[in-house]
Amino acid sequence: MAGTLLAPHSDIPLERVVQVAMERGYTAQGEMFSVADMGRLAQEALGCQAEVLCGGLGGPNRDHVLQHLVAGHPLLIPYDEDFNHEPCQRKGHKAHWAVSTGVLLGVQAVPGLGYTEDPELPGLFHPEPGMPHQPPSVPEEGSPGAVYLLSKQGKSWHYQLWDYDQVRDSNLQLTDFSPSRAADGREYVVPAGGLRAGLCGQALLLRPQDSSH
């Protein structure tokens, strides 16, 4: 899903991505319990740059993540998935991956340069493609409902807007391997240290290979 943004015309089949992951020992069933392995897979299969983010999506990482999305680059986030695909907190028992490809910011004033108002939704502004635009001011951490990630889980049909803090909190509590998976008799690749070492508080920032940022 991120590959379609990074290389719109490359059309790398999913089967090829899974094949590379299995050949490299990253996965047995299609599962990926290591952000570092997912980064290596993305670099090899998609030919992109991959930066592993550690220490959670909050604090000093928050501005880095939001600027990455404002620049138009995708973010891969491990999180606990609820029944409606939105983030929840199940200690990692429902761990899945989501791709975030955009951000909705609640701002006090729209930057003057390079934005147009949506014709159907008054008060919603988009940066004009191909035009220089002043970066929006990012709301302070702790501002309620001010930042939403445009995100999609692989099995979902639609993109959803997720509250940034809910995504942050879900990502920070991925500590335990699902007991039902552990008991299903199948083989999984779980890194040394389990989910706490492989996923918890981590995310993956992807950029095109020729990106200078």
Side-chain angles (χ1 to χ4, degrees):
M1 288 160 65
T4 60
L5 276 178
L6 292 162
H9 306 297
S10 60
D11 204 23
I12 299 155
L14 179 62
E15 293 76 16
R16 172 65 186 147
V17 178
V18 175
Q19 180 188 359
V20 172
M22 295 183 82
E23 287 172 356
R24 300 292 177 266
Y26 300 153
T27 187
Q29 313 287 342
E31 79 289 351
M32 290 291 286
F33 290 115
S34 164
V35 173
D37 283 350
M38 184 69 100
R40 284 186 279 268
L41 176 62
Q43 286 175 312
E44 180 173 355
L46 303 178
C48 64
Q49 298 180 39
E51 176 190 349
V52 175
L53 188 83
C54 298
L57 298 175
N61 285 341
R62 182 174 179 271
D63 197 57
H64 185 47
V65 167
L66 294 177
Q67 296 303 338
H68 178 83
L69 290 166
V70 166
H73 303 314
L75 171 74
L76 297 185
I77 312 168
Y79 77 112
D80 267 338
E81 180 195 17
D82 215 339
F83 298 107
N84 59 359
H85 305 298
E86 292 183 6
C88 65
Q89 297 187 36
R90 299 282 190 275
K91 296 184 177 177
H93 295 183
K94 299 291 183 184
H96 284 77
W97 286 87
V99 60
S100 290
T101 59
V103 61
L104 179 68
L105 302 172
V107 293
Q108 297 296 321
V110 179
L113 185 66
Y115 291 83
T116 53
E117 191 166 13
D118 190 281
E120 296 178 7
L121 290 172
L124 178 64
F125 289 80
H126 308 276
E128 291 182 41
M131 290 279 290
H133 52 269
Q134 188 180 342
S137 57
V138 174
E140 292 290 317
E141 189 164 20
S143 308
V147 179
Y148 291 87
L149 296 179
L150 183 68
S151 303
K152 192 172 188 286
Q153 199 276 332
K155 296 192 296 291
S156 171
W157 289 99
H158 306 289
Y159 276 93
Q160 297 175 313
L161 285 170
W162 295 346
D163 180 86
Y164 190 96
D165 292 350
Q166 289 183 10
V167 180
R168 176 200 64 197
D169 294 347
S170 181
N171 172 261
L172 270 177
Q173 51 85 64
L174 302 174
T175 56
D176 301 337
F177 188 66
S178 164
S180 60
R181 274 186 174 152
D184 68 8
R186 303 170 80 185
E187 183 182 331
Y188 295 100
V189 177
V190 181
L195 269 66
R196 188 183 291 276
L199 298 179
C200 186
Q202 300 174 59
L204 197 63
L205 290 81
L206 301 179
R207 298 178 185 85
Q209 191 59 53
D210 57 0
S211 173
S212 58
H213 299 291

